[in-house]
Amino acid sequence: MTIWNLGSINADMIYDVPHLPGPGETLSANRLDRFLGGKGANMSVAAARAGAQVAHIGAVGPDGRWARDRLTEYGVDTRHIAEVDVPTGHAIIAVDAQGENNIILFPGSNHAITPDQLGQALSSASQGDLLVMQNETTLQVEAAKMARALGLTVCYAAAPFQAAAVQAVLPYLDFLILNEVEAEQLRDATGQSVTDLNIEHVIVTLGSKGARYFHRGEASDFPAHKVQAVDTTGAGDTFTGYVLAGTDHGMPMAQAIAQANRAAALMVTRHGTADVIPDLKEVHEARFD
């Protein structure tokens, strides 16, 4: 089957800093790297590197052709990525010595995806395919409704968290992935915990503690591997891409999550985003203490 990703595409400008800057602080960076990023692009690359067939629905500006080409190199179907007259999205990411980060995001062309573009892309989808979305583009509700009508499995990664956006898509979801902070934000906004949601599959990622999977309210815990983290950017997206690829390959959810935990553990030992997501061979060969 195909994983259809309505997803953001960014240039990630990553600054290595001695500590995360505080309000009003001017801070010299030790290094600057530019990577392909955006939650959408990261998930597409992760799923493709995990062996899935991935079609990306998105947009770049005239300055972003390199990003589309890079996605193609990583095995992603880029025929549904439009070039628009809006600058490509980008993120300014500060990463400290402990691997923690903060991010400034400019959406750019990620907010220029049109309903016609979306409809044309999903007209090629087949029943049983999967649609994944994040909160860095527009048209999530329209995509969820369309995918549900076409018989696709609808997955949503609720980041960056916006209460109204998440609430709008909840009725159409088969699969929800969010981190523990976002789960708390969802409860604050809706009064519902993840066990109250009428969604078949829910995964709450717990950072260094691993992940918790809820299937119709029943919880299972999956511990993380212990590694020395240098950069947590993109780890959650890597986890999501690997989980979806695993389920698309017919893995039981426990096996898909275990494999995704291995991929995320490798990811946090590397500086960068989409360009350094591990492939399936690396994930299988990795040795953890």
Side-chain angles (χ1 to χ4, degrees), residues 37-154:
K39 288 189 162 300
N42 294 343
M43 290 178 193
S44 281
V45 172
R49 288 192 157 181
Q53 181 174 313
V54 183
H56 195 103
I57 307 167
V60 296
D63 58 333
R65 295 170 190 168
W66 66 272
R68 185 172 56 193
D69 292 344
R70 193 80 57 84
L71 282 166
T72 303
E73 291 170 11
Y74 292 142
V76 177
D77 182 346
T78 59
R79 289 176 292 177
H80 302 290
I81 297 176
E83 183 176 315
V84 298
D85 293 327
V86 180
T88 302
H90 66 262
I92 297 172
I93 303 170
V95 181
D96 70 12
Q98 287 70 48
E100 293 301 323
N101 65 68
N102 62 23
I103 301 172
I104 298 171
L105 181 66
F106 171 69
S109 56
N110 295 314
H111 283 190
I113 301 167
T114 67
D116 285 347
Q117 178 191 349
L118 173 66
Q120 184 175 12
L122 290 183
S123 68
S124 300
S126 301
Q127 186 171 356
D129 286 355
L130 184 147
L131 171 72
V132 62
M133 307 170 293
Q134 318 81 41
N135 212 23
E136 291 182 344
T137 70
T138 53
L139 302 179
Q140 287 97 341
V141 173
E142 293 85 347
K145 288 180 178 179
M146 192 179 302
R148 174 61 67 89
L150 291 169
L152 277 62
T153 299
V154 183

Side-chain angles (χ1 to χ4, degrees), residues 140-142 144-145 156 162-173:
Q140 287 97 341
V141 173
E142 293 85 347
K145 288 180 178 179
Y156 189 71
Q162 293 179 9
V166 177
Q167 287 177 273
V169 299
L170 283 178
Y172 309 102
L173 300 184

Side-chain angles (χ1 to χ4, degrees), residues 21-282:
E25 180 179 10
T26 299
L27 187 64
S28 293
N30 301 317
R31 191 179 75 208
L32 167 64
D33 295 297
R34 186 187 78 166
F35 294 96
L36 171 65
K39 288 189 162 300
N42 294 343
M43 290 178 193
S44 281
V45 172
R49 288 192 157 181
Q53 181 174 313
V54 183
H56 195 103
I57 307 167
V60 296
D63 58 333
R65 295 170 190 168
W66 66 272
R68 185 172 56 193
D69 292 344
R70 193 80 57 84
L71 282 166
T72 303
E73 291 170 11
Y74 292 142
V76 177
D77 182 346
T78 59
R79 289 176 292 177
H80 302 290
I81 297 176
E83 183 176 315
V84 298
D85 293 327
V86 180
T88 302
H90 66 262
I92 297 172
I93 303 170
V95 181
D96 70 12
Q98 287 70 48
E100 293 301 323
N101 65 68
N102 62 23
I103 301 172
I104 298 171
L105 181 66
F106 171 69
S109 56
N110 295 314
H111 283 190
I113 301 167
T114 67
D116 285 347
Q117 178 191 349
L118 173 66
Q120 184 175 12
L122 290 183
S123 68
S124 300
S126 301
Q127 186 171 356
D129 286 355
L130 184 147
L131 171 72
V132 62
M133 307 170 293
Q134 318 81 41
N135 212 23
E136 291 182 344
T137 70
T138 53
L139 302 179
Q140 287 97 341
V141 173
E142 293 85 347
K145 288 180 178 179
M146 192 179 302
R148 174 61 67 89
L150 291 169
L152 277 62
T153 299
V154 183
C155 176
Y156 189 71
F161 187 87
Q162 293 179 9
V166 177
Q167 287 177 273
V169 299
L170 283 178
Y172 309 102
L173 300 184
D174 303 294
F175 201 148
L176 174 66
I177 300 177
L178 67 175
N179 64 33
E180 56 185 333
V181 173
E182 292 155 356
E184 287 295 323
Q185 291 173 316
L186 180 64
R187 186 170 64 180
D188 292 342
T190 66
Q192 292 181 298
S193 70
V194 293
T195 56
D196 298 324
L197 301 174
N198 187 29
I199 299 174
E200 183 171 3
H201 305 286
V202 180
I203 297 177
V204 178
T205 58
L206 306 171
S208 62
K209 294 178 288 184
R212 182 167 294 142
Y213 169 54
F214 298 87
H215 183 239
R216 303 190 186 280
E218 295 293 325
S220 303
D221 287 336
F222 296 84
H225 298 279
K226 303 301 181 185
V227 296
Q228 183 61 49
V230 299
D231 185 356
T232 59
T233 311
D237 305 330
T238 299
F239 176 92
T240 297
Y242 263 81
V243 163
L244 298 182
T247 57
D248 182 62
H249 287 154
M251 287 182 181
M253 187 63 72
Q255 184 180 351
I257 292 174
Q259 180 169 272
N261 270 344
R262 293 175 64 83
L266 276 180
M267 183 63 177
V268 300
T269 67
R270 304 173 175 187
H271 286 286
T273 44
D275 296 300
V276 298
I277 291 173
D279 62 24
L280 199 55
K281 183 173 184 289
E282 292 175 295

